[in-house]
Amino acid sequence: YLYPPFITSKGVNWLRDNYMTSPHDIFITTYPKTGTMWTLNIVIEMIKEAYPSQTVYKTIKQGEWIENVASNKGIDYFKEFTEISTKYDKEKCPNRIWQTHSFYSQFPCKKIDDNTKIIYVTRCPKDVIVSSFHFFSKEPNIAFKGDFNTFFEWFCDGLTPNGNYFDHVMEWYRVKQNAKQLGISILFLYYEDMKADLMNAIKKIAKFIGCDGLLNDEKYKNIENNSTFKAMKEASKSDDVHLSPAFFRKGKTKDWKH
């Protein structure tokens, strides 16, 4: 498993040796370029609509990449972050949202609480390869300089950041199949299904994380409107949100054909 260069073994090892997930944690778990930021945005917009009086978003940054926090912001920052957000779990906002690209076998914690929610999203590998090639060619920490054919070979051999796509999907699919025995609460989503019927995906997520009873038709529509590719790309231009323009190229299915 190849971590990107900005993820440190010290940070990851500390998480795996010490961090116990909270029953209020939601993990958006994906292989890169399979719908991470899209799903993250849906969940964040959902929490905002379900709990309009919450102030947690003004205090901490939701949707952090957990390994990146521990690696680059430091263990002390991570401890402070989790202490602040744990207080808000009970007072203002019942969920803390993380993202990770980890395999299940290398999940960044010592123990996953039975009530921690894991939303796993996957996507057609041909689209993942094309999207990854364009992203890593522009991403400054990677700055891939080779051609597509070389990248294709590396991707298929699991030599790109975050390891082998096929192993990643199959490992998490086995977790889904054995979730009850493992004590894991997981929702498995497909990018293509989300594109075909976004509202259906939103309602699945709402039911899974337990806030469906707090949402009406108007709130569902707000979540949908704020989670379109166009809306997120526009919002990414602001420094006040969790999104970055670097994550938005086309947001289409079957783009590999072009």
Side-chain angles (χ1 to χ4, degrees):
Y1 178 38
L2 299 173
Y3 284 105
F6 50 86
I7 301 295
T8 67
S9 58
K10 179 182 177 181
V12 173
N13 290 339
W14 185 90
L15 289 169
R16 297 190 68 196
D17 290 340
N18 296 279
Y19 184 57
M20 313 285 280
T21 72
S22 161
H24 308 289
D25 281 339
I26 299 172
F27 279 85
I28 310 303
T29 307
T30 61
Y31 189 86
K33 311 310 297 176
T34 58
T36 313
M37 301 311 297
W38 189 16
T39 310
L40 177 64
N41 187 80
I42 291 171
V43 174
I44 288 178
E45 292 296 328
M46 187 174 292
I47 296 299
K48 288 179 179 178
E49 291 290 338
Y51 307 96
S53 64
Q54 58 81 28
T55 58
V56 68
Y57 293 93
K58 298 176 182 177
T59 309
I60 62 172
K61 183 180 178 182
Q62 286 277 38
E64 292 263 30
W65 186 354
I66 190 169
E67 294 96 333
N68 186 45
V69 175
S71 295
N72 292 303
K73 297 186 177 179
I75 304 305
D76 289 340
Y77 173 90
F78 183 85
K79 290 178 179 178
E80 181 181 1
F81 178 93
T82 51
E83 286 173 5
I84 291 173
S85 54
T86 298
K87 290 178 183 177
Y88 275 91
D89 283 346
K90 298 177 181 178
E91 295 173 7
K92 296 292 184 182
C93 182
N95 296 109
R96 182 170 59 210
I97 306 164
W98 301 105
Q99 60 172 299
T100 181
H101 295 309
S102 173
F103 283 74
Y104 171 70
S105 57
Q106 296 175 318
F107 205 73
C109 69
K110 185 175 183 179
K111 184 180 186 302
I112 302 175
D113 187 275
D114 291 352
N115 292 309
T116 292
K117 303 297 185 184
I118 297 174
I119 301 174
Y120 186 84
V121 187
T122 190
R123 183 183 187 186
C124 170
K126 291 182 281 191
D127 281 328
V128 176
I129 293 173
V130 172
S131 184
S132 297
F133 170 72
H134 287 286
F135 179 74
F136 288 129
S137 296
K138 297 177 181 178
E139 208 284 326
N141 289 295
I142 306 295
F144 178 73
K145 300 300 182 184
D147 59 20
F148 180 79
N149 289 338
T150 300
F151 186 86
F152 178 86
E153 295 295 334
W154 287 12
F155 182 93
C156 292
D157 289 340
L159 299 177
T160 52
N162 301 105
N164 189 289
Y165 161 88
F166 304 99
D167 291 344
H168 196 280
V169 175
M170 286 307 302
E171 186 169 298
W172 278 106
Y173 185 77
R174 285 191 287 269
V175 171
K176 170 185 174 290
Q177 295 296 89
N178 298 283
K180 188 174 181 180
Q181 299 94 307
L182 293 169
I184 300 295
S185 182
I186 183 171
L187 176 66
F188 211 90
L189 297 174
Y190 296 89
Y191 186 97
E192 290 75 19
D193 291 344
M194 293 170 68
K195 289 292 291 184
D197 191 343
L198 178 55
M199 183 59 77
N200 183 54
I202 290 170
K203 290 184 176 180
K204 279 185 179 180
I205 293 170
K207 183 176 181 180
F208 178 66
I209 67 176
C211 67
D212 51 324
L214 301 172
L215 300 170
N216 55 29
D217 289 345
E218 180 183 359
K219 291 185 175 184
Y220 274 122
K221 194 62 181 177
N222 289 339
I223 298 166
E224 183 181 44
N225 289 340
N226 290 329
S227 299
T228 64
F229 182 83
K230 182 179 180 180
M232 291 190 296
K233 190 170 185 177
E234 185 63 29
S236 71
K237 298 174 184 177
S238 168
D239 293 332
D240 297 329
V241 296
H242 54 279
L243 304 170
S244 166
F247 293 112
F248 299 95
R249 192 175 68 88
K250 292 185 178 181
K252 296 180 178 180
T253 58
K254 299 182 180 180
D255 186 48
W256 60 272
K257 293 183 177 182
H258 308 290

